Amino acid sequence: MAFINENKKLVSIIVVLILAIGVFLSLALTNDKAIAKINGEAISKDELYEKMVKQYGPDTVEQIIAEKIVALEAKKQKIIISDAELNGEVDKLKTSYGGEEVFTQMLKANNTSLDDLKADLKNYLTLRKLLEPQIKITDEELKAYFDQNKDLFGEVEQVKASHILVEDEAIAKDIKQKLTDGADFAELAKEYSTDVGSKENGGQLGFFPKGTMVTEFEDVAFTLPMNQISDLVKSDYGYHIIKVEEKKEAKEANFDDSKADIKETLMNQKMQSEYSIWLEGKKKDYDIENSLASIVG
């Protein structure tokens, strides 16, 4: 999906910026009024607008033309992306990020919304349906990729754990007693934990392999039975109270189990290279007039 969207956000911002400035300048300034001056020498709104068009215009127009061609080709072939398909892709992303909460955080961190993500997914799925019939992936290619990337498909032993971290031993003992008395682990983590990276999530650390945490923490986390709460664990960071929620055993890479993921990876790679060829071929089927080319050329 990255190959059709990597510049999309930038292009959208540029388009909005150019249009917004153009509208603002048209409403706020007369043709002869300067937007800035240097030693009395004026910079006009036309100078600014022309500069922006020359700098950003060609790429923006080409991007819009490409999007229009994709939409027209999809209409010709009666390609429709259903809500079920979109929601299915969103669910896959949620699973890959480890759940709804982390997925929502990802959206926020990337300054995007679920609606924006669905729009990008719809564009990707549309283009995929247009290109997929002409892309072939052989069993030999799948096996070659697997052999070259086995480390990507095996799984090391992992645990999913939460913890409460405090600096003072007396406070840690008090928290442990509250847990023994039936208090909620997540609520106590939010109230007491000094680990700012996990406390708002109830101390949740997600899945992690050996070698990720300090030795004292891992020695307990990888031996503690599921759904049990540890005694106090001392490390250089303070006192941990650990709860293990799930475990994943180590798993060797298996070609048959990995074929679907490999095919998806190769499909995206081939779409990356096929898209440009496909687009240039489709441009010949349309009467395209680009007036900006003569302005900035």
Side-chain angles (χ1 to χ4, degrees), residues 72-106:
L72 289 168
E73 286 297 312
K75 186 176 181 180
K76 279 183 187 178
Q77 298 186 31
K78 295 182 172 56
I79 291 174
I80 297 174
I81 308 301
S82 68
D83 289 340
E85 288 177 280
L86 281 179
N87 291 333
E89 292 297 319
V90 171
D91 289 341
K92 287 179 186 177
L93 286 173
K94 288 179 181 178
T95 300
S96 70
Y97 279 100
E100 179 90 32
E101 191 169 358
V102 179
F103 173 76
T104 301
Q105 292 172 356
M106 179 275 296

Side-chain angles (χ1 to χ4, degrees), residues 88-251:
E89 292 297 319
V90 171
D91 289 341
K92 287 179 186 177
L93 286 173
K94 288 179 181 178
T95 300
S96 70
Y97 279 100
E100 179 90 32
E101 191 169 358
V102 179
F103 173 76
T104 301
Q105 292 172 356
M106 179 275 296
L107 290 177
K108 186 175 180 181
N110 285 277
N111 195 29
T112 191
S113 67
L114 182 58
D115 286 342
D116 290 337
L117 175 64
K118 283 186 174 182
D120 285 344
L121 286 171
K122 186 174 183 179
N123 290 338
Y124 166 73
L125 291 172
T126 300
L127 188 57
R128 179 169 179 144
K129 288 187 177 184
L130 287 168
L131 295 180
E132 200 166 22
Q134 60 200 62
I135 295 176
K136 305 300 179 186
I137 298 173
T138 66
D139 287 341
E140 289 75 15
E141 289 176 293
L142 294 174
K143 187 63 167 63
Y145 188 90
F146 173 78
D147 289 339
Q148 294 167 11
N149 299 277
K150 279 187 178 180
D151 290 345
L152 297 176
F153 301 105
E155 292 182 9
V156 297
E157 181 185 7
Q158 297 182 68
V159 297
K160 181 181 181 182
S162 299
H163 80 144
I164 300 170
L165 173 66
V166 294
E167 295 179 0
D168 186 80
E169 184 178 10
I171 295 175
K173 288 181 177 179
D174 182 55
I175 294 170
K176 174 63 177 175
Q177 185 60 52
K178 290 178 187 291
L179 291 167
T180 302
D181 294 339
D184 183 76
F185 192 98
E187 291 303 316
L188 290 180
K190 290 178 182 179
E191 182 177 355
Y192 290 102
S193 185
T194 59
D195 180 6
V196 294
S198 68
K199 67 178 296 178
E200 294 305 318
N201 296 328
Q204 180 59 251
L205 298 168
F207 278 101
F208 56 87
K210 287 182 179 178
T212 305
M213 307 296 181
V214 293
T215 302
E216 299 90 342
F217 189 100
E218 286 187 355
D219 287 345
V220 174
F222 279 87
T223 56
L224 189 69
M226 285 191 294
N227 297 316
Q228 289 193 18
I229 296 173
S230 73
D231 292 327
L232 273 57
V233 178
K234 179 72 169 65
S235 78
D236 290 341
Y237 295 95
Y239 294 87
H240 307 262
I241 301 172
I242 305 167
K243 180 180 179 181
V244 173
E245 299 158 8
E246 195 174 341
K247 294 187 176 185
K248 288 182 180 179
E249 299 296 329
K251 184 179 177 183

Side-chain angles (χ1 to χ4, degrees), residues 6-30:
E6 60 186 358
N7 294 319
K8 185 174 180 181
K9 188 171 287 186
L10 177 60
V11 167
S12 298
I13 292 171
I14 291 168
V15 170
V16 171
L17 184 61
I18 291 175
L19 292 176
I21 289 177
V23 171
F24 169 77
L25 293 176
S26 297
L27 293 174
L29 302 173
T30 61

Side-chain angles (χ1 to χ4, degrees), residues 56-73:
Y56 302 116
D59 289 340
T60 305
V61 172
E62 286 300 319
Q63 178 71 23
I64 294 171
I65 288 172
E67 290 174 357
K68 295 287 186 184
I69 289 174
V70 170
L72 289 168
E73 286 297 312

